[in-house]
mmCIF file of all heavy atoms in Angstrom:
data_model
loop_
_atom_site.group_PDB
_atom_site.id
_atom_site.type_symbol
_atom_site.label_atom_id
_atom_site.label_comp_id
_atom_site.label_asym_id
_atom_site.label_seq_id
_atom_site.Cartn_x
_atom_site.Cartn_y
_atom_site.Cartn_z
ATOM 1 N N VAL A 159 67.042 250.344 8.462
ATOM 2 C CA VAL A 159 66.979 249.001 7.885
ATOM 3 C C VAL A 159 66.733 249.124 6.385
ATOM 4 O O VAL A 159 65.881 249.920 5.946
ATOM 5 C CB VAL A 159 65.832 248.185 8.531
ATOM 6 C CG1 VAL A 159 65.821 246.766 7.998
ATOM 7 C CG2 VAL A 159 66.011 248.149 10.048
ATOM 8 N N GLU A 160 67.497 248.374 5.624
ATOM 9 C CA GLU A 160 67.298 248.383 4.173
ATOM 10 C C GLU A 160 67.377 246.987 3.602
ATOM 11 O O GLU A 160 67.921 246.071 4.217
ATOM 12 C CB GLU A 160 68.284 249.333 3.484
ATOM 13 C CG GLU A 160 69.749 248.981 3.628
ATOM 14 C CD GLU A 160 70.672 250.042 3.073
ATOM 15 O OE1 GLU A 160 70.471 251.235 3.334
ATOM 16 O OE2 GLU A 160 71.608 249.664 2.351
ATOM 17 N N THR A 161 66.817 246.814 2.404
ATOM 18 C CA THR A 161 66.850 245.516 1.747
ATOM 19 C C THR A 161 68.262 245.238 1.232
ATOM 20 O O THR A 161 68.920 246.138 0.732
ATOM 21 C CB THR A 161 65.866 245.514 0.572
ATOM 22 O OG1 THR A 161 66.048 246.724 -0.192
ATOM 23 C CG2 THR A 161 64.432 245.493 1.071
ATOM 24 N N ASP A 162 68.705 244.017 1.404
ATOM 25 C CA ASP A 162 70.028 243.615 0.917
ATOM 26 C C ASP A 162 69.861 243.237 -0.542
ATOM 27 O O ASP A 162 69.197 242.251 -0.865
ATOM 28 C CB ASP A 162 70.543 242.441 1.744
ATOM 29 C CG ASP A 162 72.020 242.195 1.537
ATOM 30 O OD1 ASP A 162 72.504 242.503 0.416
ATOM 31 O OD2 ASP A 162 72.687 241.713 2.463
ATOM 32 N N MET A 163 70.457 244.032 -1.440
ATOM 33 C CA MET A 163 70.200 243.825 -2.872
ATOM 34 C C MET A 163 71.208 242.890 -3.524
ATOM 35 O O MET A 163 71.142 242.659 -4.748
ATOM 36 C CB MET A 163 70.192 245.176 -3.605
ATOM 37 C CG MET A 163 69.127 246.150 -3.118
ATOM 38 S SD MET A 163 67.505 245.413 -2.797
ATOM 39 C CE MET A 163 66.988 245.023 -4.480
ATOM 40 N N ARG A 164 72.160 242.334 -2.770
ATOM 41 C CA ARG A 164 73.078 241.380 -3.377
ATOM 42 C C ARG A 164 72.285 240.163 -3.859
ATOM 43 O O ARG A 164 71.438 239.653 -3.124
ATOM 44 C CB ARG A 164 74.160 240.985 -2.369
ATOM 45 C CG ARG A 164 75.089 242.162 -2.028
ATOM 46 C CD ARG A 164 76.025 241.818 -0.932
ATOM 47 N NE ARG A 164 75.323 241.546 0.322
ATOM 48 C CZ ARG A 164 75.867 240.947 1.378
ATOM 49 N NH1 ARG A 164 77.131 240.547 1.314
ATOM 50 N NH2 ARG A 164 75.178 240.762 2.470
ATOM 51 N N ALA A 165 72.578 239.703 -5.067
ATOM 52 C CA ALA A 165 71.706 238.725 -5.741
ATOM 53 C C ALA A 165 71.436 237.478 -4.896
ATOM 54 O O ALA A 165 70.314 237.013 -4.815
ATOM 55 C CB ALA A 165 72.281 238.335 -7.096
ATOM 56 N N MET A 166 72.481 236.948 -4.224
ATOM 57 C CA MET A 166 72.278 235.693 -3.488
ATOM 58 C C MET A 166 71.400 235.889 -2.251
ATOM 59 O O MET A 166 70.931 234.918 -1.670
ATOM 60 C CB MET A 166 73.621 235.052 -3.108
ATOM 61 C CG MET A 166 74.441 235.780 -2.088
ATOM 62 S SD MET A 166 75.340 237.205 -2.789
ATOM 63 C CE MET A 166 76.636 237.425 -1.565
ATOM 64 N N HIS A 167 71.150 237.137 -1.870
ATOM 65 C CA HIS A 167 70.285 237.428 -0.726
ATOM 66 C C HIS A 167 68.901 237.903 -1.157
ATOM 67 O O HIS A 167 68.108 238.319 -0.329
ATOM 68 C CB HIS A 167 70.926 238.507 0.153
ATOM 69 C CG HIS A 167 72.181 238.041 0.808
ATOM 70 N ND1 HIS A 167 72.168 237.183 1.886
ATOM 71 C CD2 HIS A 167 73.483 238.291 0.525
ATOM 72 C CE1 HIS A 167 73.419 236.937 2.248
ATOM 73 N NE2 HIS A 167 74.235 237.588 1.442
ATOM 74 N N ASN A 168 68.642 237.922 -2.479
ATOM 75 C CA ASN A 168 67.443 238.550 -2.968
ATOM 76 C C ASN A 168 66.858 237.789 -4.165
ATOM 77 O O ASN A 168 67.199 238.070 -5.326
ATOM 78 C CB ASN A 168 67.784 240.015 -3.354
ATOM 79 C CG ASN A 168 66.567 240.867 -3.495
ATOM 80 O OD1 ASN A 168 65.661 240.553 -4.247
ATOM 81 N ND2 ASN A 168 66.542 241.978 -2.781
ATOM 82 N N PRO A 169 65.987 236.820 -3.906
ATOM 83 C CA PRO A 169 65.434 235.986 -4.989
ATOM 84 C C PRO A 169 64.730 236.802 -6.087
ATOM 85 O O PRO A 169 64.754 236.409 -7.258
ATOM 86 C CB PRO A 169 64.442 235.072 -4.282
ATOM 87 C CG PRO A 169 64.841 235.050 -2.858
ATOM 88 C CD PRO A 169 65.508 236.385 -2.581
ATOM 89 N N THR A 170 64.093 237.928 -5.702
ATOM 90 C CA THR A 170 63.415 238.749 -6.715
ATOM 91 C C THR A 170 64.429 239.318 -7.719
ATOM 92 O O THR A 170 64.220 239.310 -8.931
ATOM 93 C CB THR A 170 62.631 239.891 -6.057
ATOM 94 O OG1 THR A 170 61.702 239.324 -5.132
ATOM 95 C CG2 THR A 170 61.881 240.720 -7.071
ATOM 96 N N ARG A 171 65.567 239.746 -7.188
ATOM 97 C CA ARG A 171 66.612 240.264 -8.060
ATOM 98 C C ARG A 171 67.198 239.150 -8.926
ATOM 99 O O ARG A 171 67.503 239.345 -10.105
ATOM 100 C CB ARG A 171 67.723 240.916 -7.227
ATOM 101 C CG ARG A 171 68.817 241.400 -8.128
ATOM 102 C CD ARG A 171 69.810 242.320 -7.527
ATOM 103 N NE ARG A 171 70.754 242.659 -8.583
ATOM 104 C CZ ARG A 171 72.058 242.591 -8.456
ATOM 105 N NH1 ARG A 171 72.614 242.305 -7.314
ATOM 106 N NH2 ARG A 171 72.842 242.878 -9.482
ATOM 107 N N MET A 172 67.334 237.979 -8.330
ATOM 108 C CA MET A 172 67.861 236.833 -9.058
ATOM 109 C C MET A 172 67.025 236.569 -10.299
ATOM 110 O O MET A 172 67.539 236.277 -11.381
ATOM 111 C CB MET A 172 67.827 235.611 -8.136
ATOM 112 C CG MET A 172 68.853 234.575 -8.432
ATOM 113 S SD MET A 172 70.376 234.884 -7.579
ATOM 114 C CE MET A 172 70.175 233.759 -6.188
ATOM 115 N N LYS A 173 65.689 236.691 -10.150
ATOM 116 C CA LYS A 173 64.774 236.463 -11.284
ATOM 117 C C LYS A 173 65.014 237.509 -12.386
ATOM 118 O O LYS A 173 64.966 237.198 -13.570
ATOM 119 C CB LYS A 173 63.322 236.565 -10.812
ATOM 120 C CG LYS A 173 62.681 235.208 -10.610
ATOM 121 C CD LYS A 173 61.194 235.358 -10.367
ATOM 122 C CE LYS A 173 60.831 234.913 -8.967
ATOM 123 N NZ LYS A 173 59.552 235.391 -8.490
ATOM 124 N N ALA A 174 65.245 238.766 -11.979
ATOM 125 C CA ALA A 174 65.484 239.828 -12.952
ATOM 126 C C ALA A 174 66.787 239.570 -13.699
ATOM 127 O O ALA A 174 66.857 239.792 -14.922
ATOM 128 C CB ALA A 174 65.517 241.184 -12.241
ATOM 129 N N ILE A 175 67.803 239.091 -12.995
ATOM 130 C CA ILE A 175 69.080 238.790 -13.663
ATOM 131 C C ILE A 175 68.884 237.639 -14.655
ATOM 132 O O ILE A 175 69.449 237.649 -15.745
ATOM 133 C CB ILE A 175 70.181 238.438 -12.618
ATOM 134 C CG1 ILE A 175 70.465 239.641 -11.712
ATOM 135 C CG2 ILE A 175 71.461 237.982 -13.317
ATOM 136 C CD1 ILE A 175 71.427 239.359 -10.575
ATOM 137 N N GLU A 176 68.019 236.685 -14.262
ATOM 138 C CA GLU A 176 67.749 235.568 -15.157
ATOM 139 C C GLU A 176 67.093 236.072 -16.457
ATOM 140 O O GLU A 176 67.468 235.642 -17.547
ATOM 141 C CB GLU A 176 66.822 234.570 -14.438
ATOM 142 C CG GLU A 176 66.729 233.230 -15.139
ATOM 143 C CD GLU A 176 65.708 232.320 -14.458
ATOM 144 O OE1 GLU A 176 65.512 232.440 -13.235
ATOM 145 O OE2 GLU A 176 65.131 231.507 -15.170
ATOM 146 N N LYS A 177 66.132 236.999 -16.308
ATOM 147 C CA LYS A 177 65.460 237.572 -17.505
ATOM 148 C C LYS A 177 66.489 238.276 -18.398
ATOM 149 O O LYS A 177 66.488 238.095 -19.612
ATOM 150 C CB LYS A 177 64.390 238.593 -17.079
ATOM 151 C CG LYS A 177 63.176 237.967 -16.441
ATOM 152 C CD LYS A 177 62.059 237.830 -17.483
ATOM 153 C CE LYS A 177 60.859 237.061 -16.948
ATOM 154 N NZ LYS A 177 60.247 237.688 -15.760
ATOM 155 N N ALA A 178 67.367 239.065 -17.785
ATOM 156 C CA ALA A 178 68.383 239.797 -18.558
ATOM 157 C C ALA A 178 69.306 238.791 -19.265
ATOM 158 O O ALA A 178 69.697 239.014 -20.414
ATOM 159 C CB ALA A 178 69.203 240.704 -17.643
#
Side-chain angles (χ1 to χ4, degrees):
V159 184
E160 62 187 46
T161 47
D162 194 330
M163 300 318 290
R164 292 174 296 165
M166 69 281 201
H167 294 284
N168 197 305
T170 302
R171 178 166 180 229
M172 207 88 99
K173 259 189 245 162
I175 297 174
E176 194 185 331
K177 288 262 173 60

